[in-house]
Amino acid sequence: MIAAVVFDFDLTLADSSVAATDCANHALRSLGLPLADPALVRQTIGLSLRESFRLLSGTDDSQLALAYSQRFVERSQ
């Protein structure tokens, strides 16, 4: 009996880059930060949200990274 099935959608089974860009820029906008170029967002797919935030914003601020992550996830739901 199969207990679980895991799918890796991020550019393996589907192109999620449009949704990832929407979520990332929603989170950045809500924090008053500049929007990210979609090409840069695509390079962050598969990274943790904290690392994605660092690359997209150029800052290591842990409080902003947490807020970014929360807003990204809220938008994704």
Side-chain angles (χ1 to χ4, degrees), residues 2 4 14 35 37 54 62:
I2 297 174
L35 300 183
D37 184 274
R54 187 185 70 75
S62 61

Side-chain angles (χ1 to χ4, degrees), residues 2-75:
I2 297 174
V5 177
V6 177
F7 293 97
D8 178 9
F9 281 96
D10 292 336
L11 302 177
T12 302
L13 297 175
D15 182 354
S16 60
S17 61
V18 172
T21 299
D22 177 65
C23 292
N25 280 328
H26 167 79
L28 291 169
R29 184 182 311 107
S30 72
L31 296 172
L33 297 170
L35 300 183
D37 184 274
L40 183 56
V41 175
R42 278 193 297 278
Q43 293 175 18
T44 69
I45 292 174
L47 300 176
S48 69
L49 289 175
R50 183 183 184 110
E51 181 63 14
S52 296
F53 174 74
R54 187 185 70 75
L55 292 171
L56 297 174
S57 71
T59 181
D60 284 326
D61 185 304
S62 61
Q63 295 292 17
L64 280 178
L66 177 60
Y68 170 86
S69 298
Q70 291 169 333
R71 289 175 170 107
F72 185 105
V73 170
E74 286 169 3
R75 179 68 168 195

